[in-house]
Amino acid sequence: MVDSQWLRRPLGTALTTLAVAALYYLSGRLGLLGRLTIEGIVVTPIWPPTGVAVAALLVFGLRVWPGIALGSLLVIASLTTPQATTLVNVAGNTVAPLCAVLVLRRVGFRPDVSRLRDGLALVFGGLCAMVISSTAGAGVQVLLGTLDTGDFWAVWLAWWVGDTMGVLLVTPLLLLLVGPKERFRVRRWKEALCLVATAAVLVPLAAISQVSLLFLVFPLLVWAALRFELIGSMSCALFASVLATFEANTGSGAFVRQTGLEVMAKLGAFNGAVALTALLLSSLVTEQRATRRSIQRACDELAEVLDHLTAGENLPGAAGQRGQDAEFGPPGHAPTPPRE
């Protein structure tokens, strides 16, 4: 008789891999809605599939990497006819998230991003690992002759920024969705609604204004990070980045009358500043609150011990010690011999 557990594991892995491929493809189609053209090459200021790939590898393990490769192949096939050089792009899009996850595991990254070191690890892991995918993508275009050698670095930088923003903006939110949920009190729900209403008014105003009011987003991020930690700050950051990308794609708002390179540079700087502010500040707030709770628990335990001592209650081991002192006398004295 065939062991059902032996069959269930490969089947579960296969279904998970297909789900990762589907999610990668869908996020890729969404990311292409905000694509820009730099030197004749299509790039995206935010490439969500890289965030999906890193989150999937962190949650399900390295065994789902074929789903990332399959999803990348499907996205490329939806844009152009796959060729032999397509495998280089697929390999770059697969290896880069794998390297990022290996780096995160090496430094002890926690998926809940509850420490400042977790936020820093995600930043530097994404920055370093996405060099692989951007180099593979821009290098293939040079080999195919669709990109001049002199334009390599402009396309490389745009590609690298898009992949990195996908990791910094999408990965933390996905990790929070699959992690433990926190219950909000009624008072916090009211404040959360106020935050949502403020973001709904302030962020579009900052994005569509030609006076370049994008800096107004940062006080909103500080508010969200201080009060709602990662879920609040990263949601606001993603919302602001998506709206700014839409305005850059249409050439309106703060990006009016600018060249493709100027738009990409300004948008990349804004998205990077928003992502870093939201991620690092919220992780720092989360770590400080966890430290405060640990100190409070230690103080409560110490107060309980002092209450017992003040009331004259026996602590564990105290009764045995008193019996021993009564038998042998105080320290430094010989024990009293028993009477015959």
Side-chain angles (χ1 to χ4, degrees):
M1 184 176 179
V2 180
D3 188 3
S4 59
Q5 187 70 20
W6 181 83
L7 291 175
R8 204 174 297 135
R9 287 182 180 177
L11 180 60
T13 301
L15 293 177
T16 304
T17 301
L18 291 177
V20 170
L23 187 58
Y24 189 103
Y25 174 76
L26 292 176
S27 62
R29 297 303 300 175
L30 288 176
L32 290 173
L33 296 178
R35 58 189 173 185
L36 298 173
T37 302
I38 304 296
E39 304 298 339
I41 304 299
V42 175
V43 295
T44 55
I46 305 174
W47 187 235
T50 55
V52 172
V54 173
L57 292 171
L58 287 172
V59 174
F60 302 112
L62 302 182
R63 66 180 185 275
V64 299
W65 70 264
I68 300 172
L70 178 59
S72 176
L73 180 61
L74 292 176
V75 172
I76 297 175
S78 66
L79 296 174
T80 183
T81 303
Q83 303 175 1
T85 52
T86 302
L87 297 178
V88 179
N89 280 330
V90 173
N93 293 335
T94 306
V95 174
L98 282 170
C99 291
V101 171
L102 291 176
V103 171
L104 293 176
R105 287 186 173 182
R106 182 70 177 176
V107 298
F109 175 78
R110 293 180 183 176
D112 57 358
V113 199
S114 58
R115 302 171 299 175
L116 179 60
R117 61 177 294 183
D118 298 326
L120 292 173
L122 192 61
V123 170
F124 288 106
L127 291 176
C128 297
M130 295 307 120
V131 171
I132 300 173
S133 57
S134 58
T135 302
V140 165
Q141 301 301 325
V142 173
L143 292 177
L144 293 177
T146 56
L147 180 65
D148 295 334
T149 306
D151 300 327
F152 170 81
W153 289 110
V155 175
W156 181 92
L157 182 61
W159 204 306
W160 176 71
V161 169
D163 285 351
T164 304
M165 290 302 102
V167 175
L168 298 185
L169 291 171
V170 178
T171 298
L173 286 176
L174 292 179
L175 292 177
L176 288 176
L177 289 177
V178 300
K181 307 298 186 297
E182 179 185 359
R183 290 185 177 181
F184 280 178
R185 296 185 295 271
V186 176
R187 181 176 58 84
R188 297 197 65 190
W189 276 113
K190 293 179 180 179
E191 186 179 358
L193 291 177
C194 292
L195 177 63
V196 171
T198 305
V201 174
L202 185 61
V203 174
L205 176 64
I208 66 178
S209 175
Q210 297 184 7
V211 189
S212 188
L213 299 176
L214 293 175
F215 64 90
L216 294 177
V217 174
F218 292 94
L220 185 68
L221 295 177
V222 174
W223 177 16
L226 292 177
R227 298 298 298 162
F228 300 99
E229 300 179 14
L230 196 65
I231 185 64
S233 62
M234 295 310 302
S235 298
C236 290
L238 183 60
F239 180 50
S241 297
V242 169
L243 281 185
T245 300
F246 176 78
E247 293 298 321
N249 192 36
T250 58
S252 57
F255 305 92
V256 67
R257 294 188 298 273
Q258 293 182 355
T259 64
L261 284 177
E262 290 174 345
V263 168
M264 194 64 195
K266 186 174 183 179
L267 182 61
F270 173 73
N271 288 343
V274 165
L276 290 175
T277 301
L279 181 61
L280 297 182
L281 181 58
S282 59
S283 60
L284 178 61
V285 170
T286 302
E287 183 178 23
Q288 288 184 342
R289 288 183 177 176
T291 302
R292 190 181 302 115
R293 286 192 294 267
S294 299
I295 295 174
Q296 185 63 43
R297 284 195 298 267
C299 292
D300 293 341
E301 292 175 0
L302 180 59
E304 184 179 357
V305 172
L306 291 176
D307 289 340
H308 287 306
L309 292 175
T310 304
E313 296 181 6
N314 295 335
L315 296 177
Q321 182 65 35
R322 278 200 295 267
Q324 185 177 6
D325 292 342
E327 180 179 356
F328 294 100
H333 292 76
T336 304
R339 297 182 180 179
E340 296 181 358

